[in-house]
Amino acid sequence: MSEGLATEPASVGMPNALENELSEVSGLMSSSAVRKPPPEPADQTRVRSLVIASFWAIVIFLGLPVWWWTTSIHRSRLPLTEMLEWADGKACKPTFPLQIMIDVPALSESEAQHLVRITQHALDDLNEFSAHHLRLNLRGSLSTTNESKVSRENLDYAGEKLAYRCPGIKDGDEEVALVVLLNQVDGTNINNAELQPHSTTLEISYSANQVPSTSSSSSILANVIAGKLQDLFAEEQASIAYILMSTSSGGNNQHSSLGHGQVAQVSSPVSSSPREQRSSLARTLSPELADKLDRRMTRSLKYSPTYHITISLFTPDSTPSSWDIESAVQEFLEPLLASFSISNFTVDTQIQLYATFSPSVRQPEYDADLHMWTLRTEDLSGFINAAEWPLSPSIGAGPTLNFVLYVPNEELAPLVIKENQATSWLIPQWGGITILNPPISELGPQQKSEHLTKEVIRSAMLTFSHQLLSLLGAPQSPPSFPLQLQTLTRVRAASLLLSASSTLGSLARLTVALPSIAIPENVAVAVDTTLSHLHGACSSLQDGKFNEALEHARIAEAEAERGFFDKSMVGQVYFPDEHKVAVYLPLLGPVGVPLVMSGLKEVKRLGEIWKSSRRAT
């Protein structure tokens, strides 16, 4: 009993001891939880601050400038407003004043002046296209008083000259497009007009009773002269009107295709030609004439100062193996090339034996009714065996014109086109092909000769000459070849001027639409050169100096193309901003997060120090 009572206080005291130990442990834990780490020494804090500041200094003063310098895109300043003005047709309105010289030997100066004046009024009434107009001048009013009348020989066209130069003009630079020589006759051939194929002089006959009096305001003779001149230059007016209309519609389409109002930041969209000019263009061009001009423009090559001509002889066997091509070129082709003074030409020749047909072309079929071998029209485009025939598409800087003379076998002769029995055809913007069939006797085709003489290939060379003019874009009217060259000069000048203006507009719109695209200095130089020559071309056209205008327009078009297709600009188009983000994120993430977090902690520490110092004060 006493033992039990003695042990009871011990059993009661055990929980008290445990409680004391637990309280001591919890006290130690609570004291350790609120205990702060020892303060960081001042020198270590300063070192850490300097390290963080040095990293940020390297990023700000070295990294960012290097990144900006290596990734920035150089954009030279371009005269966007002026470029768009040229593209919209507001900087220059092309005009084509043609100087026509009237020579009336049989009339006095006062009568001749009156005839020229009323003829000019009649001509202006007939003209519906104001951009192309004929200016009539009296021969005597342009010459000095001591100068004698111009003889017929002085008015004849020299084959190597492009246009007749009037010796009496003061500055000596104005081009005279045509000379109208009025011959007074008696009886027959009244109001007959004659223009020689190689002359720039239009001869018109009239009778004495057709001479208008000085008090009359109209005359039959004046109407006849005006009608002849209008008909003579009708195709040229239509060609220039077609070019202006095509460029106007193309420029408007380019304007609207960009969208997003980006061009409006530089220039408000306007029509490329006034309403009056568009209506006059529509009156000048009929749908049939527009289709004819469209086919001619599609067929001809783009203007170039240099063309290369390759004349080839192809035969499916070993004959003929030689030809008098050098003498034929000198006689039939070189005079034409020499008179074509707006471009230079180089000529080479070649002979290809065993030249077989292209496998894709249907073989010739014999026509029993025609007693000829025939080719179908749909097979003419694939007649050239491009895989085996050595015809280079381009030699040198200028485009290449290929003219092929094909001599078939005796077994397939004569060979003609089935639909029209022709032996030649034109491939647009490439060249021409002529089939030279062997001579045919009563017994059939004769054996081919080993050598082709100049007389044998004469017809083929003349065909090549006509095909060359078609490929160069020469018009069919007027019938005088020198006047055709003058027309081609003016048409080419207008086409190149408008093409260069359109290219400048495209470059300006591209610059506005793609702010990240590079614009190197050579593009800015090309734009300045283009604008300078565009101003020169426009001024030369307005002054009637068409050869000079063609040269300015050619340089302007070449410089505009060079600036627009600069390789450094084309490469930047395919590197959008999304690619830059994809490149930078893997680099900036691991490097930038520690820098930013350490910077924020340092700023927080400095803020606490500043607050504690304020409380102490």
Side-chain angles (χ1 to χ4, degrees), residues 97 99 135 164-166 169 171-176 542-545:
Q99 298 293 332
R135 295 177 178 174
Y164 175 85
R165 297 283 183 169
C166 179
I169 296 179
D171 56 8
D173 291 331
E174 194 114 15
E175 298 177 8
V176 176
Q542 294 173 353
D543 295 338
K545 303 174 184 178

Side-chain angles (χ1 to χ4, degrees), residues 405-608:
L405 179 62
Y406 185 81
V407 183
N409 287 327
E410 296 90 342
E411 294 81 5
L412 297 179
L415 182 62
V416 298
I417 301 174
K418 183 178 182 61
E419 285 74 12
N420 53 13
Q421 290 79 55
T423 58
S424 63
W425 64 93
L426 189 71
I427 301 179
Q429 300 185 11
W430 186 87
I433 301 174
T434 299
I435 298 175
L436 182 62
N437 292 302
I440 301 176
S441 62
E442 296 180 355
L443 301 178
Q446 300 179 5
Q447 186 176 5
K448 292 192 297 182
S449 174
E450 295 284 342
H451 180 76
L452 298 180
T453 62
K454 181 176 64 176
E455 288 72 21
V456 172
I457 62 176
R458 172 188 176 88
S459 60
M461 296 301 296
L462 294 177
T463 301
F464 289 157
S465 300
H466 289 288
Q467 291 175 343
L468 175 62
L469 290 176
S470 298
L471 292 170
L472 295 177
Q476 299 178 355
S477 176
S480 171
F481 180 67
L483 294 184
Q484 292 179 6
L485 291 183
Q486 293 185 36
T487 297
L488 185 59
T489 300
R490 290 185 281 269
V491 171
R492 291 298 194 186
S495 177
L496 291 175
L497 185 144
L498 296 176
S499 175
S501 302
S502 177
T503 303
L504 282 184
S506 300
L507 179 58
R509 288 186 284 270
L510 180 66
T511 302
V512 176
L514 300 176
S516 61
I517 194 172
I519 305 177
E521 289 294 336
N522 55 335
V523 174
V525 173
V527 169
D528 292 338
T529 305
T530 301
L531 292 174
S532 175
H533 284 282
L534 283 178
H535 285 290
C538 186
S539 300
S540 298
L541 284 179
Q542 294 173 353
D543 295 338
K545 303 174 184 178
F546 302 113
N547 289 323
E548 183 179 333
L550 177 62
E551 182 65 17
H552 281 297
R554 181 188 65 82
I555 298 175
E557 200 267 346
E559 289 295 322
E561 293 287 329
R562 184 175 67 88
F564 185 80
F565 291 103
D566 188 87
K567 58 182 180 180
S568 61
M569 293 185 60
V570 174
Q572 286 292 332
V573 176
Y574 306 101
F575 194 72
D577 294 335
E578 291 79 2
H579 291 186
K580 299 178 184 179
V581 175
V583 170
Y584 290 143
L585 278 182
L587 176 64
L588 295 181
V591 175
V593 170
L595 279 177
V596 172
M597 295 303 297
S598 61
L600 292 177
K601 289 182 179 180
E602 188 65 22
V603 170
K604 182 179 179 181
R605 187 184 67 83
L606 294 176
E608 291 177 353

